[in-house]
Amino acid sequence: MFDKHPLFLAMAAVLASSALAGCSSGGGGVSSGPSQSVFSPSIDDSGTNQVPVGPVDVRVAVTDTGFDIASITNSERVIDSLNIHTGNSDVSGGNEWHGNVVSSVISGGDQGRARLDLIKVEKDGVTLSSALDYAIGVAAQRGARVINTSFSNRFVASDPRLSFNGVSSADSYQRVVNANGGSGAVYVISAGNDGLAIDTQGRPMYASHPDLFNMMLIAVGTDSNGNIHSSSSYPGSDTQLQERTIATDFVNRTVGAKGTSISAARISEYAAGILSIWPHLNAQQASQRLLDTASQTSALYQQNTCGDGANLNCGSFYLGQGEADINAALAPQGDVIVPQSEQVSAGGEQANTSFMQLSGAYGNALAASGALDSVSVFDELGRDYQMDFSAQAQQRFNRSTQLRDQMERMSISSAQAIQTASMESDRYHFTSRANNAGELVSSRFDGTFGSSTLSAFQYTGEQIDPMSGYAESGIMPMISFQSGDVLTQAFDNVNGMKTRYDLSDQLSLSASHWVGGVNDELRFASDYSANRSDIEMAYQLTPGVNISTHIARLDEQNGLLGANGSGALGFGRHNQMTFVGAGLQANVSNEFAAFAEFEQGYGDAEGSGLVTQINDIKAQQMALGLQWQKDDERAALTLRQPLRIDQATAEFSVPVGRTLDGGVLRETREASLSPSGRQLDIELGYAFMPSERSQLQFNLLHTMSPGHNADARADSAAMVNYQLAW
């Protein structure tokens, strides 16, 4: 089984048995390094990287014939040693080459967290099975999380009467099972190099020591094509051996050696890599993860012609569970959750269904804060990963999409172009707006009853509020006003009523209420709704000038200021804001009309999930416009500052890791929700009639700090509409 070293044979008393080292030298050449890639797992296909939290060092025991520590790759990772025959730390002598190459494979791999405890088992050229049994028990007692024993026949249970240094083999096995506070140790062995099916000699480990067997990994070797290496032993038709068998490279050119000893060492490195990142896993879980994620891409798994009856799956027959895939083993298993309590086992919200749709009022503040950059999430095994949630807290509309929609609503050739129709009598007035497809987008009914006026209105949330100051002013169509208010843009429908009572010829009192919601239950914002109640006092300074003040309460369910979230990025179930504001409507002559609106909001809000609360909220918006009109011409100038959060401090309770006993580690983070800039839309409009049946309209819009982002470059838009009636 060795090209340059003799077969290890041990002749002992009648109860003793021999152990065979499963490794050979040679192979020619030195490669540039291992083929495994650095771990960079991903929870979904979005491209977001999730990097596991950690890692910690893992004690790996290498039970072998002997060692020359100075010759081991990364020898500084050797932290301890023991000669079980002398009880001291001198492990030199004997077949040092075998121990060196096995240790170098483990310490020289990409995972890099193994810290080696070297245990010498050979004496006078002899390695006893009882000595190996004792060595793995001692290794476990010394704190090894992984035990590498690159000897064949370790899947055969020793006679229960065997002992070494007064400790029976059965007791040594139990030490491995009970190690590390009951977590056990991953026990990695080699299949052997005789190119035949494994022979358990009628004493399989799974029959007499199933607890230990469920912590074992049996390494077989593969060639460059992923098939079983011709010299590697394999599980054959024994289905229980197949369940604990895993494959990897038979040859390691870096250390100049080949054999299933090398395969076992690589598997030990992988097991240590898993435990270094997630030390809470027990030996059975860590080893099972490697088995469950092993690759079955080998062509052998497509063949069912193996075994004596030529009817067994060849992949399982030769490779067991498949070729080890460390990247797959490190990747999350099952649903990944954001914990909502202090224990990982209590579960939480699924990470891939946790999203936040932000309204324009938030600008880029949350993304720039970094509060959601590094959040620990957990898979079904309780393994923690760091995930960047900033990408899952996005604006509902980006600037270019919203501007395009606004311009389409003004373009007479677009299907979204708005057409207005109205009917009027002495006491009633009805106005409706529809797009070119005939879909009603808003309507308003006004009725006068003595000193009272009743208005009913409805509109889709992305459209102009028919009760707004701009809509009531009669100013020509302007690009910057062809979208709904920030507070309503998420809603399919907004329905409301307003009543006005004239207290005197100049003074009136009004009350209004609207409700907004989403019709489609499958939409992301389906559980978001809002309602608003206003009380307004208006005073008519002159027959053409009216000023007003109002106070309002906005109630939002599962949202805040037009934003909504789900899962771990949800808002509180019920949030309230108070708004105060003032308005002006002026028609000073047949030629001049103007309007102005200002509103300020105040409040606090509760969160749901990562957001615990949002304090000291202040939000503000402003709009004003002036229009000149004479004969067949009109020109308008408007300014608009959409709703913006001027002040707000959000508090987050962010999981950042876990304890060994399953507790969730959290940290409190704060972030300002005030954007870096303030958007200002400045627009000039001009329209005239070249003839009785035609109209030409020109609009020029300039936007400063679009999206309330101080770093965003100012942009401009121009639009020309020409209409000819036949």
Side-chain angles (χ1 to χ4, degrees):
M1 307 228 324
F2 282 77
D3 290 348
K4 83 177 195 182
H5 291 271
L7 181 67
F8 294 144
L9 285 176
M11 299 296 293
V14 67
L15 293 179
S17 61
S18 63
L20 306 180
C23 183
S24 61
S25 67
V30 178
S31 69
S32 61
S35 61
Q36 287 73 27
S37 59
V38 177
F39 170 48
S40 181
S42 179
I43 288 175
D44 52 36
D45 295 328
S46 65
T48 304
N49 288 332
Q50 292 84 34
V51 181
V53 179
V56 299
D57 292 339
V58 173
R59 190 182 186 102
V60 178
V62 183
T63 61
D64 220 297
T65 51
F67 309 88
D68 175 11
I69 296 177
S71 299
I72 295 174
T73 301
N74 298 319
S75 58
E76 72 279 0
R77 295 180 183 172
V78 177
I79 59 172
D80 212 345
S81 58
L82 172 68
N83 185 326
I84 63 170
H85 298 282
T86 64
N88 61 35
S89 60
D90 183 6
V91 293
S92 61
N95 186 15
E96 294 177 345
W97 173 85
H98 188 272
N100 292 347
V101 296
V102 168
S103 301
S104 293
V105 171
I106 298 173
S107 62
D110 291 334
Q111 301 308 301
R113 305 308 305 189
R115 299 297 179 262
L116 305 184
D117 183 9
L118 308 179
I119 300 180
K120 181 179 179 180
V121 295
E122 180 187 285
K123 182 179 181 182
D124 299 330
V126 174
T127 298
L128 299 173
S129 286
S130 58
L132 279 170
D133 295 339
Y134 175 79
I136 66 172
V138 169
Q141 287 186 317
R142 289 159 67 89
R145 299 296 310 272
V146 180
I147 302 172
N148 184 95
T149 305
S150 288
F151 291 82
S152 59
N153 289 331
R154 300 309 298 163
F155 36 77
V156 177
S158 297
D159 189 299
R161 293 170 292 175
L162 277 179
S163 67
F164 188 91
N165 286 352
V167 180
S168 70
S169 292
D171 287 342
S172 291
Y173 295 156
Q174 200 60 41
R175 287 179 175 180
V176 178
V177 173
N178 296 335
N180 302 301
S183 292
V186 179
Y187 182 31
V188 185
I189 65 174
S190 52
N193 301 328
D194 58 14
L196 301 174
I198 292 172
D199 182 4
T200 62
Q201 303 172 26
R203 301 197 309 274
M205 188 70 76
Y206 56 74
S208 54
H209 301 284
D211 289 346
L212 177 61
F213 185 74
N214 288 333
M215 299 178 183
M216 290 175 64
L217 292 169
I218 305 169
V220 301
T222 55
D223 61 21
S224 58
N225 296 319
N227 295 317
I228 190 73
H229 193 280
S230 59
S231 296
S232 175
S233 299
Y234 48 87
S237 59
D238 190 324
T239 57
Q240 295 194 70
L241 290 179
Q242 291 174 8
E243 289 176 358
R244 305 303 300 180
T245 296
I246 191 167
T248 192
D249 296 337
F250 188 84
V251 176
N252 187 308
R253 299 186 187 281
T254 302
V255 299
K258 60 184 178 180
T260 55
S261 289
I262 296 300
S263 306
R266 180 66 73 214
I267 297 301
S268 292
E269 180 218 340
Y270 290 167
I274 293 173
L275 289 168
S276 73
I277 302 169
W278 301 291
H280 72 280
L281 295 177
N282 60 37
Q284 196 279 329
Q285 291 172 320
S287 59
Q288 192 64 49
R289 186 60 181 156
L290 280 168
L291 294 167
D292 289 345
T293 58
S295 170
Q296 295 189 354
T297 58
S298 170
L300 291 171
Y301 286 96
Q302 307 303 316
Q303 303 171 23
N304 295 296
T305 58
C306 291
D308 293 339
N311 60 350
L312 300 179
N313 181 266
C314 295
S316 300
F317 189 84
Y318 288 113
L319 305 180
Q321 299 307 300
E323 289 190 272
D325 184 341
I326 186 58
N327 290 329
L330 295 175
Q333 175 173 305
D335 292 333
V336 178
I337 61 99
V338 183
Q340 298 297 289
S341 67
E342 301 309 309
Q343 288 292 317
V344 177
S345 59
E349 299 286 351
Q350 290 191 25
N352 62 356
T353 58
S354 295
F355 294 95
M356 185 180 288
Q357 284 186 333
L358 300 174
S359 69
Y362 293 75
N364 63 339
L366 186 56
S369 72
L372 298 175
D373 286 356
S374 182
V375 179
S376 286
V377 295
F378 297 83
D379 72 354
E380 289 181 355
L381 296 177
R383 300 185 302 173
D384 49 333
Y385 298 78
Q386 285 182 326
M387 182 173 175
D388 183 356
F389 273 89
S390 297
Q392 292 178 235
Q394 296 290 328
Q395 291 284 324
R396 178 173 287 108
F397 304 107
N398 61 45
R399 167 69 180 170
S400 59
T401 299
Q402 189 165 26
L403 182 58
R404 181 201 64 201
D405 291 345
Q406 289 173 288
M407 295 180 75
E408 283 185 350
R409 290 172 190 140
M410 279 186 54
S411 172
I412 60 173
S413 60
S414 166
Q416 301 303 317
I418 304 302
Q419 306 294 328
T420 301
S422 61
M423 295 184 295
E424 189 171 0
S425 67
D426 292 340
R427 296 177 56 187
Y428 306 110
H429 181 81
F430 177 75
T431 302
S432 66
R433 302 174 76 240
N435 58 31
N436 277 342
E439 298 170 333
L440 186 68
V441 297
S442 72
S443 62
R444 173 177 173 174
F445 170 82
D446 298 288
T448 302
F449 308 93
S451 298
S452 301
T453 301
L454 174 66
S455 300
F457 57 92
Q458 69 83 29
Y459 61 100
T460 60
E462 296 181 11
Q463 296 288 335
I464 303 168
D465 179 358
M467 305 297 290
S468 67
Y470 166 76
E472 292 193 319
S473 69
I475 286 180
M476 63 183 289
M478 305 293 276
I479 299 172
S480 54
F481 287 89
Q482 300 303 310
S483 63
D485 186 84
V486 165
L487 299 177
T488 65
Q489 286 179 349
F491 301 136
D492 294 326
N493 285 294
V494 178
N495 299 282
M497 296 188 68
K498 180 177 181 178
T499 59
R500 190 189 75 211
Y501 183 75
D502 294 332
L503 300 175
S504 68
D505 290 341
Q506 294 177 300
L507 189 64
S508 65
L509 179 66
S510 300
S512 64
H513 181 77
W514 61 253
V515 176
V518 177
N519 296 335
D520 188 352
E521 294 183 358
L522 299 179
R523 275 186 51 189
F524 172 71
S526 60
D527 63 348
Y528 174 47
S529 62
N531 64 85
R532 172 169 165 157
S533 299
D534 288 61
I535 299 294
E536 178 184 273
M537 185 73 72
Y539 183 76
Q540 190 170 345
L541 286 174
T542 68
V545 178
N546 188 286
I547 61 172
S548 63
T549 61
H550 67 266
I551 184 170
R553 187 183 74 176
L554 175 68
D555 292 321
E556 294 177 275
Q557 292 74 47
N558 302 306
L560 178 68
L561 289 175
N564 65 287
S566 70
L569 292 177
F571 289 96
R573 184 159 295 278
H574 187 77
N575 292 313
Q576 288 187 350
M577 291 280 293
T578 298
F579 286 85
V580 295
L584 167 72
Q585 287 286 339
N587 289 287
V588 295
S589 69
N590 291 331
E591 296 181 356
F592 290 97
F595 82 97
E597 291 180 312
F598 174 83
E599 190 170 64
Q600 181 99 40
Y602 306 87
D604 298 290
E606 296 296 322
S608 174
L610 297 177
V611 182
T612 56
Q613 56 186 5
I614 303 174
N615 300 319
D616 303 322
I617 306 169
K618 292 182 181 178
Q620 187 181 102
Q621 63 182 339
M622 177 275 293
L624 59 88
L626 174 66
Q627 177 172 278
W628 167 83
Q629 180 173 340
K630 185 176 182 181
D631 297 330
D632 296 329
E633 288 183 272
R634 55 179 173 172
L637 174 67
T638 59
L639 302 177
R640 189 182 191 188
Q641 288 183 335
L643 187 68
R644 173 189 182 270
I645 297 175
D646 287 347
Q647 173 184 305
T649 301
E651 291 188 4
F652 301 84
S653 178
V654 180
V656 293
R658 59 161 291 156
T659 61
L660 287 176
D661 62 358
V664 178
L665 299 175
R666 294 181 178 273
E667 70 179 25
T668 300
R669 300 176 186 174
E670 289 190 354
S672 170
L673 297 184
S674 177
S676 59
R678 182 184 295 277
Q679 178 175 323
L680 175 62
D681 295 327
I682 307 170
E683 187 172 358
L684 177 66
Y686 174 72
F688 73 101
M689 297 181 65
S691 67
E692 292 183 0
R693 294 183 298 175
S694 63
Q695 177 175 300
L696 181 66
Q697 179 173 322
F698 174 78
N699 288 77
L700 177 62
L701 169 65
H702 182 70
T703 300
M704 303 170 63
S705 298
H708 300 310
N709 186 350
D711 296 326
R713 200 192 310 184
D715 63 23
S716 299
M719 189 170 187
V720 176
N721 270 309
Y722 178 74
Q723 188 171 10
L724 177 64
W726 297 94

